[in-house]
Amino acid sequence: MTITDDSTSTGNGVLGSRMLRKEDPELLTGEAVYTADMKVAGALHLAVLRSPYAHAKIVSIDTSAAVGMAGVHSVYTGADLADVWASAMPCAWPVTEDMNNPEHYPLAVGKAKYVGDGVACVLAETDAIARDAIEQIDVEYEPLSAVIDLEDALADNTIIHDEIGTNVSYTWPLLIEENEGDCQKAIDEAAFVVNERYVQQRLIPMAMEPRAVVAMPQPFGGDMTLYSSTQVPHILKVMVALTLGIPEHQMRVVCPSVGGGFGSKLNVYAEELLCVGLARTLNMPVRWNEERSENAQATIHGRAQIQDIELAADENGKLTGMRVRLIGDMGAYLQLVTPGVPLLGGFLYAGVYEMPKAFDFSCTSVFTNMTPTDAYRGAGRPEATYAIEHAMDSLARKMNIDPLELRRRNFIPTESYPYEAYTGLVYDSGDHDKAATVAAGLLDYDALREKQAKVNVPDSTKRIGIGVSTYFEMCGLAPSRVLASLNYSAGGWESATVRVLPTSKIQVVTGTAPHGQGHETAWSMIAAEKFGIDPADVDVLHSDTAIAPLGLDTYGSRSLPVGGVAIGMACDKVIDKATQIAAHQMEASPGDLEFVHGVFKVKGQPDKEMPLAAIAFEAFTAHDLPDGLEPNLEAQVTYDPPNFSWPFGTHMCAVEIDTETGECEVLQYVAVDDCGVQVNPLIVEGQVHGGVIQGLAQALWEEASYDSDGNLLSSTLAEYLVPSAADVPPITLGESITPSPTNQLGVKGVGEAGTIGAAPCVMNAVVDALSGLGVADIQMPATPQKIWEAIQAAQS
Ligand code: MCN
């Protein structure tokens, strides 16, 4: 494996090696410090009283009993804190100019709008006292009917936000005006049309570490340090400063170790604002630790969409048009990027297929009396992939052809890249036929189809299903200009500083904020490859805005294709400067030097060479530098990518369904995820494994279910079925590497890829197993009960 030619790699072979993650010993042996582990002398503990009603007027709140309890410092309602906020909680993505965004404060005033909405809070000497004290707060509620069903929400019979007067937040069209006529024509003239509704159930991200916050005012100077289990320290710093009116230079955010996020920690939460706001008011440290069931209620949920899809094809199965209508469930309020999530998928509904411009899409998003939704691994893109891939299988069934064959007929040909899609976006590179061929080979697709034909006979109680899915992902968010065109309030750049210390050890400072992705290892490998040194000689500094002041954090599988590339570019800048110093020292021209395995050599003069260590020391002492050159070896780069990165892949699986119990067992799972050049294949594999399991979980097990009154029925791990290791099938990964031509490392992101391919793959297998029994479709999650009921319904 090599990096692309325009880089100045010295090619020591570190890049692409299966190096073990250097951060793991600390994380795996309990040595790592998470926010909740921090010892903070004199801190007050926050507990939040949450509404037990999904929708209710708050008639009165009596805090007197709680105030009088021993160990209680103070008790606050939303009204008490009105002066603490400079503005309402932020939503960074006003997707349309007329989007309805209700005011949202850390504690509700007037009305509670979901079960879990904070209505009062306590500060006490210990967490236990604070939690006991909230039980003593007496709130009189006047319950209102809850809006849970998305189509009921659209009907506006019960209005959640009175000041808005409708439950609709926005309607976002993509290409409708231009293409509606063509799209209808394509559907009217099609030889085959698929017209289906898919429900993306609500999911709970369920990071292993719940959220935790410590807000520490510094004793002198009015500065505030916020420690938080977040994946966005830089964004959080700006947003907290704006929301609380804190001068930004006096605000620092630090993430101690973070135990996963999956998008749920890409946010600005009420508890962060409460802790900082109260710590500032009282000039005392304030902390909060989330409980697991609180996490299920008060940390964002994901997915939650209804998708109506019409897919048109000619007699050969070539796609001729597509219409998509979405209803997005925003939950009770808009969090940081809530409204943008369904739209991120809007660009991907044609998957990896050639699609004429006869495409139209619109998304109407509504408020409901449930936990706010926001980004969850894949954020819009798994939903879009599910829709096109599930519809492709339906189309193949209608045409009575093999689903893999149908896909091959529609793949964007490899030679068409870079490919301008129907949306105007340009896909960088792809080889879908290869990914599909590798996957089919690993699954032994043809042999399995033959076996299936023998096994799935009418009286068999065990039926085999074969699932195929392909995908394109739009990640590495993104060129700032494109984000601007989508009304996103931030850019898509990333920053890196690379510093060679006097003893030639290297510091990399990054704006990315890892929470399980192994950046310390991967970024060390990039720098080690560039400088021809051991990755152990590189230290990666991150997740502290005082140390890494510029950054846009980690989400959207952006850290490598944006942040990692920035590091590569900063290394190049440092090497350029070191080359000038080496040339000066050896009385040669910089053009005559080569840098190989950490040593500067004058080409053709074997006795003339200087190691990086010598140059680093020269740069430090600055006794004899070229005229005008600044001392020290350090460079900073802020990189704004010219395009998204476009990973793609094919997933395949085999399932066996017991028709008497509805039990579905995934027998075999194959994933070929092409993320361009791989910095560390071991990390890539780990990312894909984790992602696949989350996609599998959506297909078969997980669902945030609510009753009609808006009670969350799955608020503990007894009801919310996160798979254990024992539930995970054998996963075989196949290799396909198609470098991205848009960045110097040739990389694309991989953090969400597995999740995007997996749910449609498994659900296609489920329906494939049962279609012979007359089952047309099953909505996720395909639990044994749902499968059994679908079989019974089809048979009767
Ligand atoms: N990588 C690589 N070669 C590639 C692509 C990636 O070696 N061609 C490596 C990178 O160097 C990095 C890791 O894979 O170490 C992931 O990189 P990238 O795809 O850039 O994704 P991010 O680092 O930006 O991580 C975000 C992504 C997202 S969006 C979610 S959600 C997610 C995920 O990562 N949440 C995670 N993976 C997770 N993994 C863990 N353990 N916990 C989470 O919460």
Side-chain angles (χ1 to χ4, degrees):
M1 181 121 19
T2 53
I3 53 177
T4 52
D5 292 337
D6 58 342
S7 82
T8 54
S9 162
T10 60
N12 67 355
V14 170
L15 211 76
S17 68
R18 300 172 66 84
M19 193 181 132
L20 291 177
R21 300 197 334 175
K22 57 167 148 169
E23 47 273 79
D24 281 353
E26 191 181 76
L27 293 168
L28 297 177
T29 55
E31 291 300 312
V33 174
Y34 294 83
T35 304
D37 300 329
M38 288 175 59
K39 305 267 180 280
V40 185
L44 292 171
H45 294 252
L46 174 84
V48 178
L49 177 67
R50 301 183 184 281
S51 169
Y53 292 103
H55 195 192
K57 276 193 188 148
I58 301 169
V59 179
S60 63
I61 304 180
D62 180 356
T63 59
S64 52
V67 170
M69 283 175 66
V72 168
H73 177 278
S74 43
V75 182
Y76 305 90
T77 65
D80 297 334
L81 295 177
D83 289 345
V84 173
W85 325 118
S87 68
M89 284 172 62
C91 169
W93 208 333
V95 293
T96 61
E97 279 176 14
D98 58 354
M99 182 182 86
N100 287 317
N101 179 16
E103 288 207 329
H104 179 198
Y105 289 95
L107 293 178
V109 180
K111 247 187 177 190
K113 293 173 180 165
Y114 67 98
V115 171
D117 207 356
V119 294
C121 70
V122 169
L123 291 181
E125 284 169 11
T126 68
D127 190 48
I129 295 174
R131 286 188 184 275
D132 282 350
I134 57 172
E135 311 246 315
Q136 301 306 316
I137 299 174
D138 188 13
V139 184
E140 189 189 338
Y141 293 99
E142 183 184 318
L144 302 167
S145 54
V147 183
I148 303 303
D149 180 86
L150 302 197
E151 287 178 317
D152 282 356
L154 271 179
D156 273 346
N157 294 325
T158 300
I159 301 290
I160 298 171
H161 299 286
D162 303 323
E163 69 280 17
I164 293 176
T166 171
N167 293 323
V168 174
S169 177
Y170 67 85
T171 294
W172 189 82
L174 175 67
L175 301 175
I176 290 186
E177 260 173 43
E178 300 90 313
N179 300 344
E180 199 170 16
D182 289 349
C183 180
Q184 188 56 49
K185 190 160 172 274
I187 292 169
D188 291 343
E189 293 176 359
F192 299 96
V193 175
V194 171
N195 187 345
E196 298 193 342
R197 167 167 282 203
Y198 307 134
V199 178
Q200 297 284 330
Q201 79 270 37
R202 271 180 171 252
L203 297 179
I204 302 178
M206 227 31 118
M208 196 180 284
E209 181 209 13
R211 292 185 290 123
V213 180
V214 173
M216 294 236 269
Q218 301 306 310
F220 308 105
D223 290 2
M224 173 67 67
T225 303
L226 166 62
Y227 298 85
S228 183
S229 177
T230 180
Q231 52 189 90
V232 288
H234 296 90
I235 293 176
L236 189 60
K237 182 189 75 162
V238 177
M239 293 301 184
V240 170
L242 290 173
T243 310
L244 292 171
I246 299 175
E248 192 190 340
H249 65 290
Q250 293 181 347
M251 185 74 216
R252 172 184 177 198
V253 176
V254 184
C255 315
S257 293
V258 177
F262 307 112
S264 71
K265 293 175 183 171
L266 188 194
N267 232 303
V268 178
Y269 280 106
E271 295 80 4
E272 288 162 327
L273 296 167
L274 283 169
C275 285
V276 176
L278 291 171
R280 195 162 168 244
T281 306
L282 302 170
N283 202 21
M284 288 176 78
V286 175
R287 70 185 309 164
W288 172 76
N289 293 336
E290 188 180 49
E291 290 186 336
R292 176 55 67 192
S293 52
E294 225 177 354
N295 175 268
Q297 282 185 346
T299 290
I300 61 93
H301 292 175
R303 311 283 187 263
Q305 294 176 7
I306 295 176
Q307 305 169 298
D308 288 314
I309 176 165
E310 282 172 277
L311 190 62
D314 68 15
E315 62 285 357
N316 296 315
K318 277 289 280 182
L319 301 182
T320 53
M322 188 177 194
R323 178 184 289 136
V324 179
R325 295 287 177 267
L326 286 193
I327 310 177
D329 176 359
M330 306 284 90
Y333 303 99
L334 303 182
Q335 286 274 353
L336 195 65
V337 297
T338 306
V341 169
L343 314 187
L344 278 177
F347 300 94
L348 293 177
Y349 271 84
V352 297
Y353 310 120
E354 286 185 300
M355 170 65 71
K357 276 209 158 187
F359 170 89
D360 89 47
F361 170 98
S362 95
C363 171
T364 298
S365 284
V366 291
F367 295 107
T368 57
N369 289 119
M370 293 181 278
T371 298
T373 59
D374 206 300
Y376 171 54
R377 204 170 194 168
R381 292 152 291 168
E383 296 92 311
T385 303
Y386 184 86
I388 177 67
E389 290 303 301
H390 212 48
M392 286 299 270
D393 261 38
S394 291
L395 178 60
R397 275 193 297 280
K398 281 200 171 189
M399 295 179 64
N400 203 18
I401 65 170
D402 183 275
L404 182 55
E405 168 57 24
L406 176 67
R407 286 170 169 84
R408 286 193 199 278
R409 288 183 195 178
N410 283 285
F411 282 156
I412 299 166
T414 309
E415 58 279 8
S416 308
Y417 288 98
Y419 177 86
E420 185 174 340
Y422 60 102
T423 51
L425 293 172
V426 177
Y427 303 161
D428 55 1
S429 60
D431 189 344
H432 312 293
D433 206 58
K434 180 178 175 198
T437 302
V438 173
L442 290 171
L443 192 77
D444 208 354
Y445 186 83
D446 294 335
L448 200 61
R449 282 275 176 223
E450 283 173 24
K451 180 176 171 195
Q452 182 188 36
K454 289 187 192 133
V455 170
N456 289 9
V457 290
D459 55 353
S460 164
T461 58
K462 296 274 170 76
R463 297 181 71 87
I464 288 181
I466 301 170
V468 177
S469 75
T470 64
Y471 71 89
F472 237 140
E473 182 191 352
M474 183 176 103
C475 73
L477 306 173
S480 299
R481 281 182 197 185
V482 179
L483 292 180
S485 71
L486 295 172
N487 292 331
Y488 185 57
S489 308
W493 49 264
E494 195 45 88
S495 149
T497 299
V498 170
R499 187 177 294 141
V500 185
L501 300 174
T503 57
S504 84
K505 304 296 181 200
I506 289 179
Q507 276 181 337
V508 169
V509 185
T510 176
T512 68
H515 44 284
Q517 292 87 352
H519 292 177
E520 290 181 18
T521 306
W523 300 175
S524 299
M525 291 169 74
I526 293 171
E529 177 83 21
K530 290 281 189 180
F531 288 101
I533 57 167
D534 188 334
D537 289 335
V538 184
D539 193 24
V540 178
L541 308 177
H542 59 84
S543 307
D544 178 347
T545 61
I547 292 172
L550 297 174
L552 284 172
D553 308 314
T554 287
Y555 45 86
S557 303
R558 68 185 300 275
S559 300
L560 177 59
V562 192
V565 171
I567 292 165
M569 293 165 76
C571 291
D572 289 347
K573 264 189 164 180
V574 172
I575 291 168
D576 271 353
K577 184 172 179 183
T579 305
Q580 291 181 53
I581 298 172
H584 175 76
Q585 292 285 326
M586 293 188 278
E587 295 174 344
S589 152
D592 291 337
L593 259 57
E594 56 186 354
F595 183 46
V596 183
H597 295 296
V599 180
F600 292 91
K601 300 182 179 196
V602 181
K603 290 178 207 158
Q605 297 188 44
D607 55 325
K608 276 199 159 182
E609 61 175 41
M610 284 183 82
L612 177 66
I615 303 300
F617 205 72
E618 287 294 341
F620 169 67
T621 60
H623 293 169
D624 186 17
L625 297 181
D627 287 344
L629 202 72
E630 283 179 19
N632 285 320
L633 287 180
E634 175 171 321
Q636 196 259 336
V637 163
T638 303
Y639 171 61
D640 201 349
N643 194 353
F644 295 88
S645 100
W646 299 91
F648 62 91
T650 302
H651 288 202
M652 292 189 187
C653 72
V655 303
E656 184 183 76
I657 292 185
D658 184 326
T659 58
E660 293 184 315
T661 63
E663 192 72 40
C664 171
E665 185 185 353
V666 181
L667 302 172
Q668 204 185 344
Y669 198 98
V670 168
V672 180
D673 296 283
D674 191 324
C675 55
V677 173
Q678 300 182 5
V679 169
N680 184 330
L682 198 60
I683 295 181
V684 168
E685 286 171 18
Q687 288 293 312
V688 174
H689 281 156
V692 165
I693 294 163
Q694 277 175 308
L696 253 145
Q698 175 171 16
L700 297 179
W701 301 297
E702 293 184 11
E703 177 167 33
S705 52
Y706 281 84
D707 68 13
S708 57
D709 291 330
N711 295 304
L712 177 61
L713 302 176
S714 51
S715 62
T716 75
L717 289 169
E719 304 97 13
Y720 191 82
L721 300 180
V722 175
S724 75
D727 299 310
V728 176
I731 302 174
T732 311
L733 304 184
E735 191 178 88
S736 168
I737 293 175
T738 309
S740 170
T742 64
N743 64 65
Q744 64 150 255
L745 299 178
V747 295
K748 306 180 179 192
V750 80
E752 295 152 292
T755 311
I756 291 171
C761 181
V762 174
M763 290 305 294
N764 285 345
V766 168
V767 179
D768 183 58
L770 301 178
S771 61
L773 298 177
V775 174
D777 200 7
I778 293 181
Q779 300 291 357
M780 296 184 286
T783 58
Q785 182 172 345
K786 269 200 213 163
I787 291 177
W788 186 84
E789 284 172 356
I791 296 170
Q792 301 309 307
Q795 298 287 287
S796 63

